[in-house]
Amino acid sequence: QILTFAVSINVIAYTSFSLFNAVGKTSFYLKYNCTSLIILSVSAYPLVRNYGVNGAALSYLAVSIAGFVLWKIEISKLIEFHIKDLSCIFLPLINTMLVAVLVFYLNQWLSIDNYGEFIGAICLSVLVYLFIGFSVERVTGLYFFHDVMIIWRTLKPVQNNK
């Protein structure tokens, strides 16, 4: 779970490496790797020694968060990018994290061997995902689902009435 969260943060920075290279800012990749090296060299050994595999995941999470902060600073300089512009990523990310927490806690009461309970847990997860999504959408005004529906209607082929 820690690694899933860390990778989801890391994806944002990794996808923009080509953008920085395209505009001639290859120093971003160097800064990112140097930051990763420093954080890993300081945090990996003590965390792995004390917490094992979870410590390694926490060390990678620290690298991901530092890389995201560095990315935010550099992308703001490059194209005046704001965190609000990532609204299309944050809603699914928040939803997925909350559903993962729900499944983690429901795992104690549900048996994966029983197919009915397994399918029920999947259905409950989908309902919770949609409920959280609509709630966050209403509170923050990001309108992710609304935008998805507009795109769906735009791409949906026109059906002829016969």
Side-chain angles (χ1 to χ4, degrees):
Q1 295 163 347
I2 296 170
L3 281 176
T4 303
F5 182 61
V7 168
S8 64
I9 292 172
N10 225 1
V11 162
I12 296 170
Y14 272 113
T15 57
S16 63
F17 285 155
S18 58
L19 170 68
F20 284 102
N21 287 336
V23 295
K25 302 281 185 177
T26 55
S27 64
F28 172 71
Y29 194 64
L30 175 67
K31 291 176 190 176
Y32 187 87
N33 285 333
C34 288
T35 303
S36 299
L37 175 68
I38 292 168
I39 291 174
L40 277 176
S41 60
V42 170
S43 67
Y45 180 73
L47 286 173
V48 170
R49 186 168 186 218
N50 292 328
Y51 301 107
V53 174
N54 288 333
L58 288 171
S59 181
Y60 185 71
L61 178 62
V63 168
S64 298
I65 291 172
F68 180 76
V69 170
L70 177 67
W71 172 83
K72 171 62 176 113
I73 292 168
E74 293 294 321
I75 201 82
S76 295
K77 291 178 191 175
L78 185 64
I79 59 172
E80 297 180 17
F81 187 79
H82 303 287
I83 292 292
K84 182 183 171 192
D85 297 331
L86 285 177
S87 64
C88 62
I89 294 174
F90 283 136
L91 184 62
L93 182 65
I94 291 168
N95 262 351
T96 303
M97 288 188 313
L98 291 174
V99 169
V101 168
L102 174 74
V103 169
F104 176 75
Y105 286 112
L106 282 179
N107 188 27
Q108 299 169 359
W109 296 299
L110 297 175
S111 171
I112 298 299
D113 297 332
N114 185 344
Y115 293 118
E117 288 181 6
F118 181 70
I119 292 172
I122 291 173
C123 292
L124 179 64
S125 297
V126 169
L127 290 175
V128 169
Y129 187 87
L130 291 173
F131 175 75
I132 292 170
F134 285 123
S135 300
V136 169
E137 187 176 84
R138 288 288 179 183
V139 171
T140 61
L142 296 177
Y143 300 113
F144 175 76
F145 289 119
H146 182 263
D147 293 343
V148 168
M149 292 307 295
I150 290 173
I151 292 170
W152 174 258
R153 288 184 191 129
T154 304
L155 297 176
K156 186 177 176 183
V158 178
Q159 296 183 2
N160 297 330
N161 292 331
K162 294 181 178 182

